[in-house]
Structures are given as C-alpha cells and as structure tokens.
Amino acid sequence: MASRTINVLSVASECAPLVKTGGLADVVGALPAAVAEHGVQMRTLLPGYPQVMEKLGKTKIALKLPSLFGGPAKLVSATAFGLDLLILDAPHLFHRAGNIYLGPDGKDWPDNPERFAALSLVATKIAMGDLKGWQPQVLHCHDWQAGLVPEYLNMAGGTGKIGTVLTIHNIAFHGLADVAKLKTLGLKKARYTPDTFEFWGKISALKAGLTGADRLTTVSPTYATELMTDHFGMGLDGVMRHRRGDLSGILNGIDEAVWNPAIDPEITPYKTAAGKAANKSALQKEFGLPKSDGPLCVVVSRLTDQKGLDLLLDCLPHLTHLGGQLALLGSGDPGLEQGFKKAAEHPQIAVKIGYDEALSHRMMAGGDAILIPSRFEPCGLTQLYGLKYGTIPLVALTGGLADTVINASPAALATGVATGVQFNPITHDSLITALDRLISLYNDPKTWAQLRKNAMKQPVGWGPSASSYTDLYRDVTPPV
Ligand code: ADP
Ligand code: GLC
C-alpha cells in the first residue's frame, strides 16, 4: 500500500538557485525534489529579497498581511526552478541591495531579529491554516532564521497539532536579539527563561528552535556528536545534550542534476577522470597559472575563521616548494582576502576574491585536489562536489568532512576504498604533513588514478538522507 502524502513547509533564509551565500542554499534548494520521491509534498517559504523577486515570473497572492513588523506585506506563491515557493514579500524588511544578512558596513542589519521573526511568524500562520487550499503537517525549520517557529506555534496553540523539525546547519550563528526586543518580536516575557529562549541575557532565536522543536537534526552524524561538546557546541552544548534523544545527524547530499561532470554546462563534460585534463588546462589559463607537473589545488570557500584558511595561507610556501599550485575563489574576512591577494604574488598561486557560481563549477572540474582545512564543518558540500568531479579532497578530520572522505591510509589504499586525505589535529604542522601526503600520492600516477576512480564512484546523492528526512517527517506528523 502506498503511504500517504505528507505536506511539509520548509522555512529558510536562502535557497539555490534563487539566493545563496553558502551550503544552506544548496540543501534547501535540493531537498524538495529529493523527498518528493518518497511522497513528501514540500513547499519552501523564503524572504522576498530583490534577487528572489526578480526570478519569480508569474506570482499569485496567497495571503495579505496588512501589518507585519512595521509595514504591509503579502505572501505570494510561485513555481520556479522546479520549486514550489511561498515568498514573503515585505518590502520594508527585505527589499535591500547587497548582502541578505549584512548592511553596507559589513555588520548584521540591525533589524535582522525582526526580519526573520517575520518569516517565522508567517510560517506559523500558514501552519495554522491561514492559506486557502494548502496546510502543512510538518514545518521544517532551517537554522536560527526559522528558530522562532516553534515558539510562535506554541503561542498560536499549534504545538502538538503540527510537527516541527529544526535542522542545525551551523550552531555558530545564534540569531541573538536584545531583550528590549521581546515586545517588538511579539514574544512573552514569561517564556523568556533559560529553558526556552533566554541565552546569557539575550533572546536567542536558535535556542527557541532547539528547545521548542519536536525533533532536531544536523547535517552529519559526526557534527551531531560534536555539538554536545563544549568545544563545538558554542555555548549550546548543554541544550544539545539535554535533547540528545531527539537529535539525529543526517548527511547532506548534492543535487546531481546541477553538480555532475557528465552534464555540467560550465565545463568540458567528462565521465572518467581522464576528461579532467582539458578542464585543468582551461582553469590554469583562466587563473593565469602556468602549465605544471604538480597538482592544481583549488579552494572555493567563504573566507572565515571556521574554514581554517589562515592555516593554509601559512602552508602555501611549502605547497609551492613541493611543486603544487593553488587557485582560490572566495570572499569574506578582509584580513584573509588581503593575505591571499598578497600570496598571489607568487607565480604558482592565483586568487579571485568574489562570489562566482559558474567559476566554482569550472574549479571543481579543473582542480586535481580541493583543500578544506576547516576548524569545524557541520557537513561541507565542496568536498562532495570534489568527490563527484574526481577532485581529491584534502580535509580536516571534523564534522561532515570526517563522515564523507575515506582517508588514504595504507590499509584503505590496499583495499581500494580511499577517496581523499584527512588530517588531525587541525594545526599548521599537521596540514603540512597532509600536503606532503597529497603530493606523494599525486606523484604516484597509478595510486592517484585509483583514488580519483574511487572518489568518482562514491555515492554523494540524496538517496539515503532523503529517506531519513521522510521517516522523520512521518514520525512527527500528528495523528489525524
Ligand atoms: P558553508 O555553507 O559553510 O559556506 P559548504 O561547503 O556547505 O560551506 O557550502 C558552500 C557552498 O557555497 C558551496 O556550494 C560552494 O561552492 C559555495 N561557495 C562558497 N564560496 C563561494 C564563492 N566565492 N563563489 C562561488 N561559490 C561559493
Ligand atoms: C552550513 C555549514 C556547512 C554545511 C551547510 C549546509 O553553512 O557551515 O558545513 O554544509 O550549512 O548544511
């Protein structure tokens, strides 16, 4: 007997290909199609940023909201890129040029608490049946931007009637607001306690979700375990330990319709690693790097402390000394941007500061190895893209990087399962050793060919994870 369809509303601040600053967007954009195969009808609720509004085409008004956190708004429905979308069009909150989270001064927009509280409140209205013709049984909330959903649902009397799942993509971002905003955000003072959403004298949207959602997930099994430690829990490890029984780690997959070397329109397509050669030459040309006998290492990343790229910066003289090259695409921390620009004075190092989706595909295709020395990494997607494109990941042993790469130890090489290089502890010295290992593997063509073959056949799609999410949605769906 076919199981019943479940209606799920996914609530997030970004979604590829409409608006993206990182992996959250990739996951939110890929999940609906992945779970559709299991009988889940997922709609996605997003803020109506200008870059979203302009990509929508035909829209329909689904709900009028005459007053929402200081201005009129409306909810519109649309389908675009195969996604079934509900867009919160609130010009006073979202019609702004530039970064979706940061103002021109590089700091968080001061009204970020209100902006994403509005998104969360509207998700709750949809859950409570305000929309004609469609009601979700489950709300799937992503990160702090949807963290207040369970709290608003509770206030609306919806707890127990609608299931809630919160996915932690990165516990480093708490969505803090000054306590003076309790009233503006429509929250109850009596609920402002350490058991709910009080966090060291502030309102924490993430904590509201962590304490209030029926079930919690994060994006890899190892990160689920790490979250319960003080090193990785970022002050919320106690909450995570408390909710241990409701927490699961479900690995991200990649959208193989978008990230697939056999059909990628940005590259010279290939099915075996031999086809990488043309892409490597093209990439060297594009970055102004000379032809070379060594490996072309790539980095595609936000430049932040999380990503450990300061460690890499210090190891670059060693990499070039061993005959390696580096092509980096990234943006973020001004100090790191400066550091890499300076490093690019070396002829074997080239750096592009900025964000460029198309180029990121060409880098996956043209690189020999992708370097990801993150200090913590909830899942990480670029190592998965690397595997799919036969670009060997060199990664720190943490979070999803630990779960998705099989280290080229002598035993793993002998058994023919190795797919990359892992290093631990996450220090300069250990990264140096890992680079040595990478280069010696590269210099052994037979072993390198085997590694690339193993990498390209490692499953990185959504298959098992889509089933896990579906099981979870079924578990939290209240009985009719
Ligand atoms: P995070 O979400 O922490 O940034 P992930 O590895 O999960 O890390 O996802 C990063 C996503 O953002 C990937 O799709 C990666 O290709 C993309 N990305 C990061 N920086 C850039 C950039 N400068 N240009 C293009 N794509 C980028
Ligand atoms: C976050 C994490 C990253 C993860 C992504 C998608 O941005 O930093 O590790 O892959 O979310 O879940």
Side-chain angles (χ1 to χ4, degrees):
M1 195 183 84
S3 356
R4 176 169 68 83
T5 302
I6 310 180
N7 288 352
V8 179
L9 181 68
S10 172
V11 187
S13 57
E14 34 185 298
C15 174
L18 292 144
V19 54
K20 166 168 167 179
T21 72
L24 170 66
D26 291 332
V27 172
V28 172
L31 200 55
V35 294
E37 290 176 21
H38 300 272
V40 175
Q41 202 229 345
M42 181 175 275
R43 301 184 85 174
T44 307
L45 173 66
L46 288 177
Y49 314 110
Q51 56 270 58
V52 169
M53 298 311 293
E54 76 196 17
K55 292 193 193 96
L56 289 185
K58 229 175 102 196
T59 59
K60 268 207 339 236
I61 296 187
L63 193 63
K64 287 188 181 150
L65 301 149
S67 170
L68 183 73
F69 291 94
K74 58 188 186 298
L75 188 68
V76 300
S77 63
T79 45
F81 307 101
L83 296 161
D84 189 347
L85 300 165
L86 289 166
I87 305 293
L88 177 56
D89 185 15
H92 62 296
L93 301 173
F94 300 122
H95 283 202
R96 297 172 192 182
N99 187 290
I100 56 174
Y101 306 122
L102 312 175
D105 58 357
K107 296 203 178 114
D108 286 353
W109 292 108
D111 61 346
N112 273 355
E114 289 86 343
R115 297 170 79 217
F116 297 105
L119 185 75
S120 302
L121 185 65
V122 170
T124 310
K125 288 183 186 295
I126 298 167
M128 295 306 289
D130 282 14
L131 216 63
K132 257 201 210 121
W134 192 81
Q135 191 176 6
Q137 289 140 301
V138 177
L139 290 164
H140 186 169
C141 312
H142 298 272
D143 273 350
W144 76 264
Q145 291 89 349
L148 286 173
V149 167
E151 184 60 23
Y152 288 140
L153 195 65
N154 184 41
M155 289 172 73
T159 306
K161 297 185 185 139
I162 314 284
T164 49
V165 174
L166 179 97
T167 295
I168 306 158
H169 294 265
N170 196 333
I171 207 160
F173 302 106
H174 290 188
L176 296 180
D178 202 276
V179 64
K181 288 203 175 185
L182 269 175
K183 199 159 168 228
T184 333
L185 299 178
L187 295 168
K188 288 208 182 103
K189 199 156 177 231
R191 298 270 300 162
Y192 175 71
T193 72
D195 292 340
T196 52
F197 54 82
E198 187 268 350
F199 182 78
W200 297 104
K202 299 223 171 211
I203 300 164
S204 162
L206 181 61
K207 193 171 170 189
L210 296 180
T211 55
D214 295 332
R215 296 285 285 272
L216 306 177
T217 73
T218 190
V219 287
S220 69
T222 293
Y223 193 57
T225 311
E226 288 173 341
L227 283 174
M228 293 183 264
T229 66
D230 59 356
H231 180 70
F232 291 101
M234 310 267 168
L236 289 165
D237 45 295
V239 179
M240 299 316 298
R241 286 193 295 275
H242 184 68
R243 297 226 52 197
R244 174 191 300 262
D246 301 314
L247 170 68
S248 50
I250 304 178
L251 211 53
N252 288 334
I254 70 171
D255 186 341
E256 292 175 294
V258 179
W259 292 95
N260 185 343
I263 53 169
D264 191 330
E266 290 301 330
I267 66 168
T268 305
Y270 57 93
K271 288 201 169 122
T272 65
K276 288 178 69 66
N279 289 291
K280 177 173 178 178
S281 304
L283 190 65
Q284 283 171 321
K285 216 184 248 167
E286 183 166 2
F287 270 88
L289 289 167
K291 286 214 160 305
S292 101
D293 293 334
L296 170 57
C297 300
V298 297
V299 170
V300 179
S301 186
R302 293 187 287 119
L303 303 182
T304 66
D305 183 62
Q306 172 188 344
K307 302 294 179 179
L309 293 165
D310 50 316
L311 299 176
L312 178 63
L313 198 53
D314 290 342
C315 294
L316 288 181
H318 190 70
L319 176 71
T320 51
H321 175 72
L322 296 173
Q325 293 181 317
L326 177 78
L328 174 139
L329 168 65
S331 61
D333 180 85
L336 283 171
E337 288 187 358
Q338 256 331 98
F340 278 104
K341 274 194 209 151
K342 181 99 182 63
E345 287 168 11
H346 191 288
Q348 305 295 342
I349 297 175
V351 166
K352 289 192 197 272
I353 300 298
Y355 189 94
D356 186 336
E357 191 73 25
L359 176 57
S360 73
H361 283 248
R362 297 195 289 279
M363 293 176 74
M364 291 301 162
D368 291 305
I370 178 155
L371 312 181
I372 314 170
S374 307
R375 292 195 166 86
F376 66 95
E377 197 59 79
C379 180
L381 292 174
T382 58
Q383 84 280 11
L384 301 179
Y385 301 144
L387 290 169
K388 183 79 186 173
Y389 283 70
T391 304
I392 300 306
L394 180 157
V395 303
L397 187 69
T398 186
L401 301 173
D403 293 340
T404 55
V405 173
I406 303 174
N407 185 38
S409 63
L413 283 170
T415 8
V417 295
T419 57
V421 173
Q422 288 175 325
F423 70 97
N424 188 48
I426 306 166
T427 59
H428 170 269
D429 289 0
S430 152
L431 177 53
I432 291 275
T433 312
L435 289 169
D436 287 341
R437 279 163 54 213
L438 181 82
I439 306 260
S440 67
L441 288 165
Y442 182 83
N443 289 337
D444 173 356
K446 218 172 130 213
T447 306
W448 189 255
Q450 185 63 47
L451 260 184
R452 295 206 294 198
K453 210 166 158 194
N454 299 346
M456 289 179 78
K457 63 171 206 261
Q458 181 171 321
V460 287
W462 273 100
S465 300
S467 313
S468 303
Y469 276 117
T470 307
D471 290 346
L472 194 64
Y473 300 148
R474 290 198 193 286
D475 278 0
V476 299
T477 300
V480 258

